Amino acid sequence: MNGYIDNAVNQFRTLLTEQIERQQRMENADATTDYTKLPKIVIGICKGDGIGPIISAESDRLLRFLLEDEIESGRVELKIIEGLTIENRIAKNKAIPDDVLNEIKSCNVILKAPTTTLKGGTLESANVAMRRELDLYANVRPVCVPSENIDWTFFRENTEGEYVLGSKGVEIPNTLAFDFKVTTNAGTRRIARAAFEFAKNNGKKNVAIVTKANIMKKTDGKFSEICHEVAKEYPDINVEEWYIDIMTANLVNPAIRNQFEVFLMPNLYGDIITDEAAQIQGGVGTAGSANIGDKYAMFEPIHGSAPRMIEQGIGEYANPTSMFKATEMMLNHIGFKKQAELLNRALKICTETEKKVVVTGEKDKATCKEFADYLLETVKTL
């Protein structure tokens, strides 16, 4: 037993050293990329697993129409990145194989379809690895339900918490297991600033900090403390703090939920509560997700790779709406606001107003391609 304890202590020492070094790198980070000043923007498209290749093909087609002039002039390049599949990742025993990661890093921004994450084992999630490798610290997810007066934007810290060391826990066989949660000063400060800057720049008056600081006193306590320090720089914004358990109840409480605007939270809570919020909007298939860093950014649907649909032979009926929402967010982020607005308007017509073509993931409704055709024709009329 003493040998297991010694090994665990040595493992923890290594992890502690790595995280201190990461904190120091964050403090010395370079300036944020200004996409409007790049001579060329390279958009990488990762096709992913399961329904990923199906829905990403339609986003590729949509982008080639919306950015036709920019692609022809050389201002934009679309690059298809192969190899981010569960089969290749298992074969290479890497969350992101080295050659694939090099291709990703050769791009300025990534549009990524869902990838499969295995249960158990040591193979890390491709998403977690990409967020770490590209330092995509801000996960931003908007949720809007106009009929309920809901207009929420979630800022989830994306590179720390329970996920940063999720595959590096310690286990004493037949006895116990430990996983680790990490909260750094620099990591918390930058996600807090991103949330408050968004609120200030978009006329939002309320930021809700969501933690479990009454129980997780060191990690969530630090997150709460630093968020409140940053909040002092924004005196015109009202700041509240809620515990994650009651906030999950608040989102389904019609008497209070439309009072919220911007949410700021650590990694795991953000992962869970944004799926709840998306379900309120109409399901996880309706929401896109931004993963933003200072140098790179990655955009994706919030749902998974839906292996069930592939197994049942109905992959072609996958709903691409979440992928299209991610595409819209990406266009906005890299400065093509006119194209993003066109896509936004077309999506509202196709999913809220006309609804002439409906995709549900079942054979009794439209295919992914049929819905994409409808959306593209709608864009052309605007």
Side-chain angles (χ1 to χ4, degrees), residues 109-222:
V109 64
I110 300 295
L111 182 62
K112 176 187 163 295
T115 48
T116 298
T117 300
L118 297 177
K119 295 179 182 178
T122 59
L123 187 65
E124 188 178 36
S125 156
N127 269 13
V128 171
M130 191 177 298
R131 289 163 182 164
R132 182 184 63 250
E133 293 291 341
L134 305 185
D135 201 20
L136 307 176
Y137 59 84
N139 183 263
V140 184
R141 294 183 177 181
V143 168
C144 186
V145 187
S147 62
E148 300 286 341
N149 198 25
I150 289 172
D151 188 4
W152 298 330
T153 306
F154 295 85
F155 279 77
R156 162 194 171 195
E157 202 295 316
N158 218 12
T159 58
E160 299 192 347
E162 294 83 355
Y163 289 19
V164 64
L165 299 176
S167 61
K168 297 184 179 181
V170 171
E171 184 172 6
I172 308 298
N174 302 315
T175 306
L176 56 82
F178 272 99
D179 279 321
F180 301 105
K181 179 171 181 171
V182 180
T183 300
T184 66
N185 287 35
T188 304
R189 190 168 289 112
R190 65 185 185 178
I191 187 64
R193 194 168 303 285
F196 280 98
E197 280 293 304
F198 171 85
K200 182 185 75 172
N201 295 333
N202 290 275
K204 307 298 183 182
K205 298 300 182 183
N206 182 283
V207 173
I209 301 166
V210 183
T211 70
K212 194 63 176 172
N214 58 332
I215 303 298
M216 308 299 291
K217 295 182 184 294
K218 295 298 183 184
T219 49
D220 284 14
K222 178 180 287 293

Side-chain angles (χ1 to χ4, degrees), residues 47-55 85-87 114-116 304-310 315 318:
K47 295 187 288 188
D49 299 312
I51 63 171
I54 297 167
I55 61 176
T85 64
I86 189 62
E87 294 82 6
T115 48
T116 298
S305 57
R308 175 192 63 83
M309 295 188 71
I310 300 300

